[in-house]
Amino acid sequence: MKKRTFGWNVMLIACLIMAISLPAWGKTIKIGVIGPMQSLEGRDHWNGATMAADEINAEGGVKVGKVKMKIELIKCDSNEDKNITDAANAMERLITNDRVDLIVGGFRTEAVFPMQDIAMDYKKIFIGCGAATDELCNRVGKDYKRYKYFFRGTPFKSSYLAKTSIMHLIACAGVIKKELDVPIKVALVAEKLSWTEGMVKLIQGYVPKLGYELVGTWQPSARATDVTAELSAIQKSGANVIFTVFSGMVGITFARQAGEFKIPALQVGINVESQKEGFWEATKGMGNYVFTMNTYVRGIEQNELTGPYMESYLKRYQQVPTYTADTYAAIKYALVPSIEAVGSLNADKIVAHLEAREYKVPSGVIKYEKNNEGVYTHDLTWGPGYLTSLGCQWQDGKLVGVWPNNWMPDPKNHPDLKITYKGMVPIKLPPWMKK
Amino acid sequence: MELIIFYFKKLFKILRNEVLVLPSRVVVGIFFIVLLGLPLITQDPYIIRIVILTSIFAIFAASWDLLSGFTGQMNFGHALFFGVGAYSSAILNIHFHLSPWGTVPLGAVVAVLAGLIVGIPCLRLKHTYLALTTLAFPLILLGVIIALPDISGGELGMTGLTRITNSLLGNYYLHVVTFLVLAIIMWKITDSNTGIIFHAIREDELAVKASGINTIFYKLLAFCLSGFFAGIAGGLYAHYMRIAGPSTLELSLSFTVVIYAIFGGAATIYGPIAAVFILFPLLEVFRIWPEYRMMLFAAVVLIILLYMPEGLIHWIRDKIEKECPRCKVRNVATRKTCRICTANLD
């Protein structure tokens, strides 16, 4: 009798567990979040996606036809920063074993290519949220039938990143001319890594066209712990703008030593380390006035969605989101509205709806580009009214937004068009430049 | 009909007298059967993918063993041959529109040339100096690749390669059969007179020279053969992944192949192959605990190397088989006397 009671109890518990978990695996939309989960980029992929899923599920889920479905996220560590084969295997596993309906993420370009191919083999929508290379979306335009399931989520393509850096240079040069009335002399300092080579060639070619003098190019190691030789040479060259292209620790070294020597020049360009909140501490305050490109900055609102997004993110994770956290926008503003509009999880229907949309996200407005033949490339449109990214500057211990601030994207044809995001402050020159 | 019966009887005889007498040979037989019959049990694309990649890396690991395990030419830059095979196949496929059926063997031929280029300067080097020199070659090639983005795709690599076949089963059997055939060829090479000379060079090069054998020729031959097999692995990898990128030349790949060989047991060919077939799928199993995945992998490798310094396969083989002290023939561990010379085994 005792044995029988025990057996019934086990069955009852099993049934209860089944009943509780049934809605979870019976009526959910499975979204795979793939990225290097042991690094900051992957963690932000996951953070953004989790926040989006929680918000949507709290509102009852996604309306697919007549049914409300909850979002179930599947976390997938691609390990792509270390192993490309691993990343491709992770994508295959995500699709064939975890049976996800949609995928967001990806970071390292070399890994995203095979991941993209695998997703396309299975006709799964994959929104890339990390790799910037143009070719990922060029593939969509070249072979639309196969690659149409791929969309760029963030950031905009690398050629637009370079274009934005030039805009930042022009903005800084404008301030120097206005306040100091001196000719602009640019020193180009790029870390010695392959990704900077294209950028170096572009800046070297573009600076003279702007009427500025390029006084020289310096390429220290990405891990350099001393750049005094470069700084001395830059000081002797008389440069008043230092265009930096840094992703490594040299960004901290360079900013700290330039601050210590009070080099009379404004640093502008890309300095990934200066995008992080720990930069001020790392440079012991010597990184003051460093200017860099960024996606999100505290207090800056590209549109009405930025504020609430930043507030929720900061409250939940106590840090400013990096661009890979735009998995949030990919799920909440790209995928979910399109699924609800077509009332189905049919990938072809979602693609047809999504590519034709123009929609707001916390970093701007997304509109998908077409190539010269009029075929969608699913790349992000850059420019005023769409996505521009931000220029930010360290000013007395705070990272503040400084660009676009009265930016005139087309002064010849539209002299009245000036772009300023809410919360922008003017660019500040280091006081020692004015002496 | 009589001929068929004759061959059938011969096969049965070989099976009974050569294969079934040793557990290690039975395991190899089962491994062949399982590998060839796996699609009858499952056609899960993920499992098929893992087995295909395992087969490719098994060729690669065995090719390292052929050079470094047997000849003792410690190569810490073996990814060079893999990368040369991958990039050559990719260039021929993308720029010259050659079919993968042609690009993979031609890529392997280019890898043979790479073997010669690496082998010649390495002839005068030994031990640490040789290891450090070989380490530099993939880094040099990486620099060349980054410097020629129009040809090599630069740091993004070459994408859009065509697959040899798009069928799941076609891909499976193509890679698995290629692996099995190449593994047998490599094993046969090491079992031949050439293999004995390779082995002798590793043990005492001076003695080999004193015997009138041209060690320079054999060392270069080892570099070229190793480059050929690694080049095939690289070409197969590039076409299967549809990309040939700088990761095919990374230092981590060169070290991974050394880990495989040492884990399984160097100078065996089957040791590194077994190691790849254990470690590569194991890394996938560890995805269950993504945070501890690499740590668990490292722990497994460390434990095995700590308690089985000769390699896992050597250790297992010594547990299940005994070598006859008189005729050196291997016997199952349960036997008291040698199956050939009847000498006492205990």
Side-chain angles (χ1 to χ4, degrees):
Chain A
M1 184 67 189
K2 240 183 183 178
K3 251 187 184 175
R4 215 172 149 181
T5 316
F6 176 75
W8 278 111
N9 284 341
V10 171
M11 270 191 66
L12 189 69
I13 292 164
C15 288
L16 271 169
I17 292 167
M18 289 272 282
I20 293 163
S21 55
L22 194 66
W25 50 259
K27 286 180 180 177
T28 61
I29 299 170
K30 280 189 171 186
I31 300 179
V33 184
I34 189 164
M37 294 300 170
Q38 309 304 320
S39 69
L40 174 76
E41 291 81 14
R43 278 199 294 271
D44 273 7
H45 275 139
W46 181 246
N47 288 349
T50 314
M51 207 168 96
D54 287 352
E55 284 178 14
I56 292 159
N57 288 344
E59 286 164 15
V62 185
K63 196 165 182 252
V64 187
K66 289 174 184 170
V67 192
K68 273 266 188 185
M69 293 170 86
K70 296 237 167 153
I71 289 177
E72 183 188 349
L73 295 179
I74 310 289
K75 189 179 188 177
C76 182
D77 185 3
S78 60
N79 194 28
E80 64 200 75
D81 42 353
K82 296 181 191 82
N83 192 328
I84 305 298
T85 316
D86 230 13
N89 291 348
M91 181 60 110
E92 181 95 42
R93 185 189 165 101
L94 198 59
I95 295 171
T96 59
N97 270 28
D98 298 321
R99 299 188 183 280
V100 294
D101 301 297
L102 310 147
I103 304 145
V104 294
F107 176 66
R108 180 179 169 185
T109 304
E110 198 188 337
V112 176
F113 277 119
M115 277 155 62
Q116 184 192 37
D117 270 321
I118 294 166
M120 299 308 110
D121 285 344
Y122 293 99
K123 299 186 192 302
K124 292 284 174 192
I125 294 175
F126 175 26
I127 302 192
C129 298
T133 184
D134 295 22
E135 185 56 24
L136 281 168
C137 283
N138 290 348
R139 283 176 137 192
V140 181
K142 281 181 208 159
D143 188 355
Y144 179 80
K145 203 177 163 194
R146 174 171 164 74
Y147 289 102
K148 67 177 179 179
Y149 305 98
F150 181 81
F151 289 80
R152 197 189 294 282
T154 184
F156 43 69
K157 61 184 175 185
S158 50
S159 46
Y160 286 155
L161 287 174
K163 199 172 173 178
T164 313
S165 291
I166 300 281
M167 300 294 167
H168 294 169
L169 174 66
I170 294 169
C172 290
V175 175
I176 293 170
K177 271 201 165 173
K178 193 179 161 191
E179 291 192 22
L180 306 178
D181 194 24
V182 288
I184 302 299
K185 292 182 176 182
V186 182
L188 175 57
V189 190
E191 64 190 7
K192 190 84 186 135
L193 281 181
S194 50
W195 78 273
T196 64
E197 283 169 15
M199 196 94 161
V200 167
K201 279 181 195 160
L202 182 97
I203 302 297
Q204 283 172 337
Y206 216 90
V207 165
K209 284 183 194 165
L210 293 168
Y212 310 151
E213 185 190 343
L214 184 70
V215 294
T217 304
W218 288 266
Q219 292 201 273
S221 155
R223 294 191 187 95
T225 50
D226 184 79
V227 286
T228 45
E230 285 86 351
L231 285 169
S232 302
I234 289 167
Q235 196 165 12
K236 275 183 192 164
S237 72
N240 45 27
V241 177
I242 303 174
F243 193 94
T244 58
V245 191
F246 296 143
S247 68
M249 293 305 286
V250 67
I252 293 175
T253 310
F254 191 89
R256 196 188 64 235
Q257 293 189 332
E260 281 168 359
F261 296 142
K262 297 204 181 328
I263 304 291
L266 184 64
Q267 294 172 53
V268 60
I270 297 174
N271 185 343
V272 174
E273 285 299 323
S274 73
Q275 294 170 352
K276 297 173 186 170
E277 296 204 310
F279 179 73
W280 186 259
E281 274 297 306
T283 59
K284 305 281 179 217
M286 291 296 150
N288 212 2
Y289 309 109
V290 168
F291 181 120
T292 186
M293 191 189 289
N294 213 341
T295 309
Y296 296 107
V297 178
R298 282 179 200 258
I300 301 298
E301 292 185 18
Q302 285 96 318
N303 56 37
E304 66 275 17
L305 299 178
T306 324
Y309 168 66
M310 288 286 280
E311 200 179 311
S312 306
Y313 199 96
L314 285 164
K315 196 174 164 189
R316 193 168 173 151
Y317 303 111
Q318 289 82 46
Q319 59 181 15
V320 177
T322 63
Y323 69 99
T324 55
D326 272 355
T327 44
Y328 174 85
I331 294 171
K332 187 162 181 177
Y333 301 110
L335 292 172
V336 168
S338 286
I339 292 169
E340 289 187 334
V342 299
S344 143
L345 287 173
N346 181 301
D348 291 291
K349 285 183 182 172
I350 297 170
V351 168
H353 185 264
L354 179 58
E355 67 185 5
R357 278 172 60 204
E358 193 175 315
Y359 58 95
K360 276 186 184 170
V361 293
S363 58
V365 173
I366 284 183
K367 184 189 173 189
Y368 295 106
E369 285 188 334
K370 289 179 181 176
N371 62 15
N372 294 336
E373 283 114 51
V375 181
Y376 275 110
T377 60
H378 296 169
D379 220 328
L380 302 170
T381 304
W382 178 91
Y386 297 104
L387 298 168
T388 58
S389 83
L390 302 172
C392 57
Q393 190 183 28
W394 281 96
Q395 292 183 2
D396 306 319
K398 278 185 185 170
L399 190 63
V400 294
V402 290
W403 186 93
N405 192 2
N406 286 319
W407 170 46
M408 295 168 75
D410 190 5
K412 276 184 193 166
N413 301 320
H414 300 96
D416 300 330
L417 181 64
K418 285 183 181 176
I419 312 283
T420 304
Y421 291 152
K422 194 179 160 190
M424 286 290 164
V425 297
I427 296 168
K428 271 190 186 175
L429 297 183
W432 51 88
M433 274 186 81
K434 296 172 187 170
K435 284 176 187 171
Chain B
M1 189 63 189
E2 275 183 12
L3 196 72
I4 295 168
I5 292 169
F6 169 75
Y7 279 115
F8 188 75
K9 276 184 176 174
K10 197 177 174 185
L11 182 75
F12 182 73
K13 204 175 168 185
I14 291 170
L15 267 175
R16 200 183 59 185
N17 297 336
E18 299 292 329
V19 178
L20 296 175
V21 289
L22 281 178
S24 58
R25 289 181 189 171
V26 173
V27 170
V28 171
I30 292 170
F31 173 71
F32 270 59
I33 292 165
V34 169
L35 213 52
L36 293 171
L38 185 76
L40 300 172
I41 305 161
T42 176
Q43 291 190 12
D44 179 353
Y46 173 61
I47 294 173
I48 296 287
R49 180 185 187 85
I50 298 304
V51 179
I52 288 173
L53 286 166
T54 307
S55 301
I56 292 172
F57 284 110
I59 300 170
F60 184 43
S63 74
W64 183 88
D65 199 30
L66 186 66
L67 174 67
S68 302
F70 277 89
T71 324
Q73 303 296 299
M74 199 48 70
N75 186 358
F76 276 5
H78 203 58
L80 173 82
F81 302 137
F82 191 82
V84 166
Y87 267 103
S88 305
S89 300
I91 289 168
L92 291 167
N93 186 238
I94 302 270
H95 297 311
F96 297 94
H97 308 291
L98 282 183
S99 149
W101 293 101
T103 61
V104 176
L106 284 172
V109 171
V110 180
V112 169
L113 290 175
L116 265 179
I117 293 166
V118 176
I120 291 167
C122 290
L123 286 171
R124 299 173 72 88
L125 301 169
K126 275 182 186 167
H127 314 303
T128 325
Y129 302 101
L130 174 68
L132 287 174
T133 308
T134 51
L135 191 70
F137 282 99
L139 298 176
I140 293 167
L141 184 65
L142 202 60
V144 174
I145 277 164
I146 302 293
L148 301 168
D150 294 338
I151 299 168
S152 65
E155 64 175 315
L156 303 179
M158 299 182 74
T159 56
L161 275 76
T162 46
R163 270 195 169 165
I164 301 176
T165 165
N166 283 320
S167 128
L168 185 78
L169 285 184
N171 257 318
Y172 179 82
Y173 279 110
L174 179 98
H175 290 90
V176 163
V177 170
T178 308
F179 151 66
L180 291 174
V181 170
L182 294 184
I184 292 169
I185 292 172
M186 279 188 266
W187 183 72
K188 276 296 195 190
I189 290 171
T190 59
D191 207 30
S192 67
N193 285 343
T194 309
I196 293 167
I197 295 169
F198 284 169
H199 216 122
I201 289 173
R202 190 191 67 185
E203 294 301 321
D204 192 343
E205 194 179 339
L206 204 62
V208 180
K209 267 185 190 170
S211 310
I213 292 167
N214 184 353
T215 55
I216 291 175
F217 169 77
Y218 280 99
K219 274 159 72 175
L220 282 179
L221 182 68
F223 267 105
C224 292
L225 283 173
S226 179
F228 177 78
F229 293 115
I232 288 186
L236 290 174
Y237 176 84
H239 283 288
Y240 185 68
M241 296 286 285
R242 291 170 283 199
I243 184 169
S247 64
T248 57
L249 289 161
E250 274 177 0
L251 283 181
S252 59
L253 190 62
S254 293
F255 286 116
T256 307
V257 79
V258 179
I259 292 170
Y260 287 145
I262 305 297
F263 180 92
T268 54
I269 297 294
Y270 53 79
I273 290 172
V276 179
F277 272 88
I278 293 166
L279 293 177
F280 196 88
L282 192 68
L283 201 57
E284 291 301 313
V285 172
F286 286 157
R287 280 190 196 277
I288 303 164
W289 307 283
E291 288 86 1
Y292 308 108
R293 192 166 160 247
M294 295 315 288
M295 203 178 74
L296 286 168
F297 180 80
V300 168
V301 173
L302 276 176
I303 290 166
I304 294 292
L305 293 183
L306 203 63
Y307 293 100
M308 301 159 200
E310 293 290 307
L312 177 70
I313 305 305
H314 273 301
W315 185 85
I316 293 174
R317 208 176 166 198
D318 286 345
K319 293 283 169 203
I320 58 171
E321 289 173 5
K322 275 190 244 177
E323 195 181 71
C324 172
R326 187 198 289 164
C327 68
K328 305 293 176 196
V329 165
R330 295 194 77 84
N331 293 271
V332 64
T334 49
R335 281 188 77 100
K336 301 275 182 225
T337 55
C338 175
R339 65 190 164 97
I340 302 293
C341 68
T342 65
N344 198 343
L345 292 174
D346 292 324

